[in-house]
Amino acid sequence: MTARWDPRLYLAYESERARPFIDLVMRILTHPRTIVDLGCGPGHLSAVLLDRWPDATVLGVDSSPEMVAQARRDAAGPQVSYALGDLATWAPPVPVDLVISNAAFQWVPDQLEVVPRLRDHVAPEGVLAFQVPDNHHEPNHVLLREIAGRAPYAKHTAGLALTRSVSPATYLDLLADDAWDLDVWGTTYYHVLEGEDPVYRWISGTGARPVLEALPPGLREDFEAEYKAALREAYPTRSYGTVLPFPRSFVVAKRR
Ligand SMILES: C[S@@+](CC[C@H](N)C(=O)[O-])C[C@H]1O[C@@H](n2cnc3c(N)ncnc32)[C@H](O)[C@@H]1O
């Protein structure tokens, strides 16, 4: 079962979620005319692409009907379009100048096979660029797996497809190739979040969705209470807010 996305909940942390995309885009030093954004989500990042490359056409591809509908409603201009599709099987009619993806590959179970194949869709001297959370070992994800894996939740959550992160070093090993110039790095962001249970609010819009949707009413509320309490302990509130450290992997691969 694929858990549904709620674009409104996802966009609650719009500026924090946009930051790594902007950092990724700033490291792309080519001038693409054709851009495809895989796992584009609600489309709010298309404006970043057009700001940097105003003459480009942008196609956003996403497998969530809710995300594609939101993206079409808010489309940043006539050069931008959106399509429903699976990035694992997506193929353009002709290779494109820039294939970009932000915070999507962690949802693809066989991403270590899919990501290298995406290079086939990049034009000569074009770029494959992506950012993926590297947070599998962060407390919010460890606690999610631990609590969801215990009784009475385990029988509803067994076998769920949760996110998988990949380190910068693994991407380097995976993609090192004489025909490509690689720029690979990792960054940890320290997001300062406001309000009550902000780490829960953050992850309930993304990584925790499959667990929350799999639990029946009643049990879901019990899980939420247990998980929120554990997150409050792992991420104490300080005088200025709650700090969510968030490591991420980045790759810019340019075809020679
Ligand atoms: C965390 S959101 C990122 C959205 C946007 N790129 C951003 O950075 O804000 C992950 C997105 O990846 C999409 N996604 C997950 N698996 C996908 C797949 N196999 N094919 C296409 N999109 C996928 C989800 O529907 C969701 O919109």
Side-chain angles (χ1 to χ4, degrees):
M1 182 186 77
T2 307
R4 278 177 303 106
W5 285 86
D6 177 345
R8 193 188 42 81
L9 192 56
Y10 180 72
L11 288 169
Y13 292 107
E14 179 173 353
S15 89
E16 288 86 354
R17 296 195 201 278
R19 169 78 198 280
F21 188 71
I22 294 166
D23 291 348
L24 178 68
V25 161
M26 294 314 287
R27 289 294 308 160
I28 301 168
L29 305 176
T30 53
H31 296 92
R33 301 298 300 259
T34 52
I35 303 176
V36 173
D37 180 358
L38 297 177
C40 62
H44 59 301
L45 298 176
S46 301
V48 175
L49 295 170
L50 289 183
D51 273 355
R52 182 132 167 81
W53 299 291
D55 298 332
T57 58
V58 177
L59 169 66
V61 176
D62 201 285
S63 56
S64 157
E66 294 84 9
M67 288 298 207
V68 170
Q70 175 77 37
R72 284 182 175 148
R73 268 197 297 276
D74 293 349
Q79 315 107 282
V80 184
S81 59
Y82 298 98
L84 197 57
D86 181 352
L87 71 85
T89 50
W90 167 82
V94 290
V96 294
D97 297 336
L98 171 61
V99 175
I100 194 164
S101 179
N102 193 57
F105 292 163
Q106 74 275 19
W107 290 104
V108 179
D110 53 348
Q111 66 145 310
L112 295 183
E113 276 134 51
V114 170
V115 173
R117 274 206 312 266
L118 290 174
R119 291 179 299 186
D120 297 346
H121 308 318
V122 175
E125 298 184 28
V127 169
L128 168 66
F130 56 91
Q131 178 279 121
V132 185
D134 185 16
N135 56 0
H136 191 76
H137 301 293
E138 290 298 302
N140 52 353
H141 282 264
V142 172
L143 290 165
L144 176 70
R145 292 192 297 274
E146 265 178 27
I147 300 174
R150 280 187 217 143
Y153 314 116
K155 67 172 187 232
H156 300 281
T157 61
L160 279 182
L162 297 178
T163 57
R164 275 162 227 211
S165 52
V166 174
S167 70
T170 303
Y171 283 123
L172 198 49
D173 278 346
L174 185 69
L175 298 173
D177 183 313
D178 287 348
W180 294 78
D181 287 321
L182 289 182
D183 182 6
V184 176
W185 72 100
T187 299
T188 299
Y189 296 88
Y190 287 81
H191 299 299
V192 178
L193 308 179
E194 292 174 354
E196 236 176 82
D197 295 316
V199 179
Y200 175 80
R201 199 161 137 71
W202 177 296
I203 198 168
S204 64
T206 53
R209 290 173 312 102
V211 171
L212 294 171
E213 280 205 13
L215 294 172
L219 217 47
R220 186 182 309 149
E221 287 71 18
D222 292 349
F223 174 84
E224 277 175 5
E226 209 175 322
Y227 187 37
K228 278 181 185 173
L231 289 174
R232 281 197 291 268
E233 204 171 314
Y235 299 90
T237 303
R238 295 159 200 275
S239 57
Y240 53 86
T242 303
V243 182
L244 173 64
F246 200 139
R248 295 178 180 270
S249 302
F250 294 79
V251 175
V252 175
K254 181 175 176 296
R255 195 188 276 284
R256 285 193 179 139

